[in-house]
Amino acid sequence: MRPRAAVIRRWDDGRVIARQPLADACERNFGAPYYHCHRAELLDVLSAAVPGSVLHLDHRCVGLTQRGDRVEVQFHSGATADADVVVRADGIHSTVREAILGPESPRFSGHVAYRGLVPTACVAALGIEVVASSWWGRTITSFIISLAPARATSIGS
């Protein structure tokens, strides 16, 4: 989905505070499009672009060993993989991040996000503009982002 703009609104009356053009403006200014997509869709696109033998989904990384210009990745199952590049997508308790940066102790920031997906058909009658909309208040921010016109709209606070 190519949102036309990022729009920031006041939480109490919906008045627009700021509007930043995206879509065509990003292509013109940076030479590349700006997209919103659901994580599963991004994973589908990435996995279709590489041979299946180099992508290891549903594997928990438990260790990395640098071997010259290559990396051996060790998985919980006992399997290993040899790679030139390791893409970290293993969450807050990241084995990959720890191997690169050393141990860290994540701490709760006091902030919580609630997110959900709504089928686009359920909100189509609302006439929601294809933009990244957010409503900012003193202590809370809410958002609506169109992810795929025929599939889902992401909402959260």
Side-chain angles (χ1 to χ4, degrees), residues 20-127:
Q20 176 64 48
L22 295 174
D24 296 334
C26 285
E27 290 200 50
R28 188 173 51 254
N29 295 330
F30 306 110
Y34 179 90
Y35 291 106
H36 283 166
C37 66
H38 187 270
R39 188 178 315 170
E41 291 173 334
L42 176 61
L43 190 56
D44 288 345
V45 168
L46 294 175
S47 64
V50 298
S53 62
V54 301
L55 187 64
H56 300 278
L57 302 176
D58 204 23
H59 280 61
R60 186 163 57 93
C61 175
V62 295
L64 300 170
T65 305
Q66 185 78 42
R67 299 191 191 287
D69 64 346
R70 311 281 298 166
V71 176
E72 181 186 82
V73 183
Q74 296 95 34
F75 297 109
H76 182 261
S77 65
T80 62
D82 184 54
D84 333 279
V85 175
V86 176
V87 176
R88 176 199 167 284
D90 56 351
I92 191 168
H93 301 290
S94 172
T95 302
V96 176
R97 183 183 65 233
E98 184 174 325
I100 295 168
L101 301 175
E104 297 179 322
S105 296
R107 59 185 170 77
F108 181 57
S109 67
H111 298 279
V112 176
Y114 298 97
R115 298 182 301 170
L117 295 176
V118 176
T120 300
C122 293
V123 294
L126 299 175

